[in-house]
Amino acid sequence: MQTEIKVGEHLKRLRKEKGWSLDKAAKATGVSKAMLGQVERGESSPTVAKLWQIASGFDVSFSSFIATSSNNELTSLFRDANELRREEYNVGFFVSLLFPFEPALGFEIFELTLAPHYQHESDPHNLGVTEHILCVSGEMAVLFDGEWHTLRAGQAVRFNANQVHGYKNIGEVNAVFHNVIHYPHK
């Protein structure tokens, strides 16, 4: 429930900052007014896909919804994916936010783990957003430009994320990858 409350509070704060009604937020994000209200009240926990829709509609980073806090100071910072790993957004899809979005840098870094045969597809992000995928272990495929591209440990790819894209584990063990998401400078 703690995650639902944090996401909801952040959503409500963003909506108020923009001066948007729930109707306007629903139109901007493509997420129903009812669902947005439930998220704001902490009654519903959005999936990764819904959270991306909301972040894209508000033109903010995905990590702004799940990061604990950031003081925006660019200082040395050590992170441990094992301590940060969470599965609460989708069963079989573990998310570790290694470095939240920092406006001075323009990117966020995740370590993601896909259970065997798990597949996740994402709607297009905003124009100019790019994703950089590095397969750390296992075997996976990445969907972009309308087709699936295989990656094995040590292989990497970059693509424009303003298109339908996705990730799937094509092996029998967990596939682990790093995802650096870069947002265009505003």
Side-chain angles (χ1 to χ4, degrees):
M1 185 67 164
Q2 187 61 23
T3 300
E4 290 90 350
I5 292 169
K6 185 202 173 315
V7 169
E9 288 172 353
H10 185 63
L11 173 59
K12 190 171 190 172
R13 184 173 52 255
L14 282 173
R15 191 170 60 77
K16 298 292 184 197
E17 285 173 5
K18 289 190 175 279
W20 288 0
S21 65
L22 278 173
D23 282 326
K24 174 122 174 144
K27 286 181 181 128
T29 63
V31 176
S32 74
K33 177 180 170 182
M35 171 62 102
L36 290 172
Q38 289 172 350
V39 171
E40 280 192 6
R41 293 187 300 275
E43 297 170 357
S44 179
S45 179
T47 63
V48 169
K50 285 291 180 214
L51 206 49
W52 262 114
Q53 268 186 271
I54 294 168
S56 293
F58 277 88
D59 199 23
V60 297
S61 70
F62 178 80
S63 68
S64 69
F65 281 96
I66 63 174
T68 49
S69 68
S70 174
N71 60 11
N72 290 327
E73 289 184 29
L74 298 179
T75 59
S76 299
L77 180 62
F78 292 93
R79 308 280 282 179
D80 184 341
N82 296 312
E83 294 176 7
L84 302 168
R85 193 167 291 117
R86 305 179 124 162
E87 189 184 23
E88 56 202 43
Y89 301 104
N90 289 82
V91 175
F93 187 48
F94 299 87
V95 177
S96 299
L97 175 58
L98 295 177
F99 295 100
F101 178 79
E102 296 285 348
L105 300 174
F107 65 85
E108 58 197 358
I109 303 176
F110 296 91
E111 180 188 89
L112 303 163
T113 303
L114 306 174
H117 310 291
Y118 183 88
Q119 179 173 322
H120 174 80
E121 290 188 27
S122 293
D123 289 328
H125 301 317
N126 292 340
L127 187 64
V129 175
T130 57
E131 291 195 25
H132 307 74
I133 307 295
L134 168 63
C135 184
V136 175
S137 65
E139 188 175 14
M140 64 182 292
V142 181
L143 172 66
F144 61 91
D145 294 340
E147 51 185 278
W148 289 96
H149 306 270
T150 301
L151 291 180
R152 291 178 178 79
Q155 295 182 320
V157 66
R158 177 183 65 207
F159 61 90
N160 291 322
N162 64 333
Q163 60 182 306
V164 173
H165 57 283
Y167 330 97
K168 69 179 172 181
N169 182 338
I170 56 176
E172 299 300 322
V173 298
N174 283 349
V176 178
F177 65 101
H178 291 164
N179 187 352
V180 178
I181 302 173
H182 185 266
Y183 297 87
H185 183 47
K186 296 177 189 180

